[in-house]
Amino acid sequence: MDKIIIEGGKTQLKGEVIIEGAKNAVLPLLAATILPTEGQTVLKNVPILSDVFTMNNVVRGLDVTVHFNEAENEVTVDARGDILDVAPYEYVSKMRASIVVLGPILARNGHAKVSMPGGCTIGSRPIDLHLKGLEAMGAKIEQTGGDITATADRLKGANIYMDFPSVGATQNLMMAATLAEGTTTIENAAREPEIVDLANLLNKMGASVTGAGTENLTIIGVDKMHGAEHSVVQDRIEAGTFMVAAAMTNGDVLIKDAVWEHNRPLISKLREMGVEVTEEEAGIRVVSNLDHLKPVTVKTMPHPGFPTDMQAQFTALMAVVSGESTMIETVFENRFQHLEEMRRMGLNSEILRDTARIHGGLPLQGAQVMSTDLRASAALILTGMVAEGTTIVGKLTHLDRGYYKFHEKLAQLGANIRRVNGDS
Ligand code: UD1
């Protein structure tokens, strides 16, 4: 098993970094490629990540042709002809996000069988909102033997109110509604930039989706859809991770082509701390001086609130800013496991239910630590850059799900970091 080894303490990141297409955007976009019965779909700016390979396999498993040209970051999908309607456990169990194929398969085939996604370390992550929405559109749902079976001759437009603005449920229902008979409205919909990106692709495919980016979506069903070309939106979480990395290391880093609007909640908290964040023609520049930073309180919320996917990395920043910072995690109930690992590096923090109090600015020492989930792995690597001595981060399968060449990008900015295979 690979490990990342960091010699920390004096790291100061400087330079420019390039950001990939967003993992959380491309996964539902790949699910949407199932919908067209005419033409091919070409997705550009596709990141080379293990989750993308998994989603490609989910789509291939439906008898759809998927070609990933990694050199060009381009995926071409041909879903013409009959497609199968079963997404097997083998893939769904690997990646919870594959549940977003349920809506498109059902909409296209009138029948879909998808394995229940399994447990997840960051929380229980039910899919009741996905299923209730499909039922409102006339689907008959059965759950047996670990599988969800959904049936509807043709889905019917419905008015759906979501108890919580779930990202995955919004995507699933939005895709299902594109081929439904009549109009669907989704109230209290998720507003993430990845939802807007999906709506943009669906509209290029001939769908009629309005309101994406607001809490009210309207989808007028169409009879058929066609292939389209689309470039995946930049990864705001990867960009945010490098912003935090710069802030933690007294850095001066230009995050190229990062989208200001998508990172506004993070930027606002960085600025409140005293980090200099400026918009330039080429991207977002982050300049930091740790001696001048103040502790802050952050609460994760659905977009446009502070993203839960930046919570772990931001706690790493809180750990190096003198004084007591508070992090409140309201989206997932068990997303503080990285703090336990960071304790091994000398972090002083207390967790009470959804609130972590972090006593920052105390000396941190390198240690051997283990990633517990995707964003936790990034947080541990960032902490390793500022901790004195050697940090070894294991279980990189999490990191590879969402960061492309993370250690190489950090090394280019000046970090002393390398990746070795387990036997080295
Ligand atoms: C997506 C992102 C993930 C991010 C999360 C929240 C992808 C591939 N993943 O995950 O990185 O952390 O949004 O921004 O885009 N919930 C229910 N019932 C449901 C669905 C969700 O109760 O049917 C709850 C979940 O348990 C969780 C909360 O809603 O507490 C947020 O989940 P959701 O927005 O659905 O996240 P995902 O789409 O799974």
Side-chain angles (χ1 to χ4, degrees):
M1 278 233 290
D2 284 11
K3 291 174 185 154
I4 279 183
I5 301 176
I6 311 141
E7 303 299 336
K10 293 180 187 60
T11 314
Q12 188 173 23
L13 298 185
K14 276 190 189 302
E16 297 181 357
V17 64
I18 291 171
I19 302 304
E20 314 297 314
K23 168 184 90 77
N24 285 355
V26 74
L27 300 178
L29 294 178
L30 285 167
T33 65
I34 301 168
L35 291 164
T37 40
E38 292 171 3
Q40 295 189 333
T41 299
V42 179
L43 297 179
K44 295 169 180 280
N45 198 30
V46 175
I48 303 172
L49 300 171
S50 59
D51 271 8
V52 172
F53 293 120
T54 304
M55 195 54 135
N56 283 345
N57 284 334
V58 172
V59 177
R60 278 192 194 108
L62 303 169
D63 228 1
V64 169
T65 308
V66 179
H67 176 66
F68 192 0
N69 179 344
E70 291 178 40
E72 297 291 331
N73 292 90
E74 201 172 283
V75 172
T76 306
V77 182
D78 190 338
R80 289 174 288 192
D82 291 342
I83 67 162
L84 303 177
D85 51 15
V86 181
Y89 181 71
E90 185 191 347
Y91 301 123
V92 179
S93 60
K94 264 196 193 156
M95 188 182 69
R96 294 186 46 84
S98 37
I99 189 70
V100 292
V101 296
L102 179 63
I105 301 175
L106 175 63
R108 171 137 176 206
N109 271 2
H111 183 263
K113 187 169 159 189
V114 177
S115 281
M116 273 292 277
C120 174
T121 55
I122 64 173
S124 64
R125 301 182 88 166
I127 53 162
D128 55 312
L129 298 169
H130 302 237
L131 302 184
K132 273 190 215 160
L134 292 175
E135 274 175 339
M137 294 165 80
K140 194 167 165 291
I141 310 270
E142 278 174 40
Q143 293 184 56
T144 43
D147 293 323
I148 300 159
T149 309
T151 318
D153 273 348
R154 186 173 179 192
L155 291 167
K156 294 204 171 31
N159 300 327
I160 300 167
Y161 174 84
M162 293 208 305
D163 300 341
F164 182 88
S166 155
V167 174
T170 303
Q171 292 163 339
N172 230 336
L173 299 177
M174 190 159 88
M175 288 190 275
T178 55
L179 289 175
E181 187 185 338
T183 300
T184 300
T185 57
I186 306 176
E187 281 178 76
N188 200 24
R191 291 185 266 170
E192 272 70 1
E194 294 76 23
I195 301 282
V196 177
D197 208 36
L198 176 60
N200 289 342
L201 173 65
L202 293 172
N203 286 336
K204 287 180 193 171
M205 289 172 158
S208 167
V209 181
T210 49
T214 75
E215 57 198 23
N216 293 309
L217 287 175
T218 303
I219 305 112
I220 303 173
V222 295
D223 289 337
K224 59 180 180 189
M225 288 163 73
H226 51 79
E229 200 176 292
H230 183 77
S231 183
V232 182
V233 69
Q234 295 296 86
D235 195 322
R236 67 195 163 100
I237 305 300
E238 189 196 7
T241 303
F242 281 100
M243 287 187 211
V244 168
M248 286 175 72
T249 58
N250 290 312
D252 180 349
V253 176
L254 176 71
I255 295 100
K256 289 190 81 177
D257 299 321
V259 184
W260 184 270
E261 201 52 40
H262 296 173
N263 281 292
R264 196 178 271 282
L266 169 67
I267 292 167
S268 137
K269 280 295 160 189
L270 287 170
R271 283 181 158 176
E272 188 183 327
M273 260 186 164
V275 180
E276 231 180 88
V277 190
T278 44
E279 189 171 18
E280 295 185 0
E281 181 111 359
I284 297 174
R285 183 173 295 280
V286 177
V287 179
S288 171
N289 179 344
L290 276 178
D291 291 339
H292 297 161
L293 301 192
K294 313 186 287 290
V296 290
T297 296
V298 173
K299 190 176 187 175
T300 65
M301 302 279 273
H303 193 77
F306 188 95
T308 174
D309 284 352
M310 281 305 303
Q311 182 258 103
Q313 305 89 310
F314 207 86
T315 58
L317 171 58
M318 287 170 160
V320 292
V321 173
S322 291
E324 186 185 298
S325 283
T326 303
M327 177 60 81
I328 307 162
E329 170 59 63
T330 74
V331 181
F332 291 110
E333 70 269 25
N334 189 26
R335 211 173 188 180
F336 282 140
Q337 291 162 75
H338 52 282
L339 294 179
E340 300 300 338
E341 287 298 296
M342 281 155 66
R343 208 186 288 283
R344 296 168 54 76
M345 303 171 83
L347 175 71
N348 181 350
S349 67
E350 295 126 35
I351 305 167
L352 187 60
R353 288 188 287 275
D354 64 355
T355 302
R357 287 192 203 292
I358 294 168
H359 305 280
L362 303 170
L364 298 170
Q365 307 87 37
Q368 188 151 358
V369 289
M370 201 68 99
S371 307
T372 48
D373 67 69
L374 165 56
R375 306 302 167 187
S377 58
L380 293 172
I381 292 168
L382 299 191
T383 310
M385 289 194 308
V386 294
E388 284 296 334
T390 309
T391 293
I392 302 174
V393 183
K395 224 168 175 200
L396 299 179
T397 41
H398 293 298
L399 184 76
D400 295 338
R401 289 186 40 224
Y403 289 94
Y404 176 67
K405 296 195 170 171
F406 192 51
H407 69 288
E408 285 183 25
K409 292 185 183 188
L410 288 171
Q412 262 170 18
L413 293 171
N416 186 342
I417 181 170
R418 63 190 203 279
R419 183 167 174 150
V420 296
N421 72 39
D423 310 324
S424 311

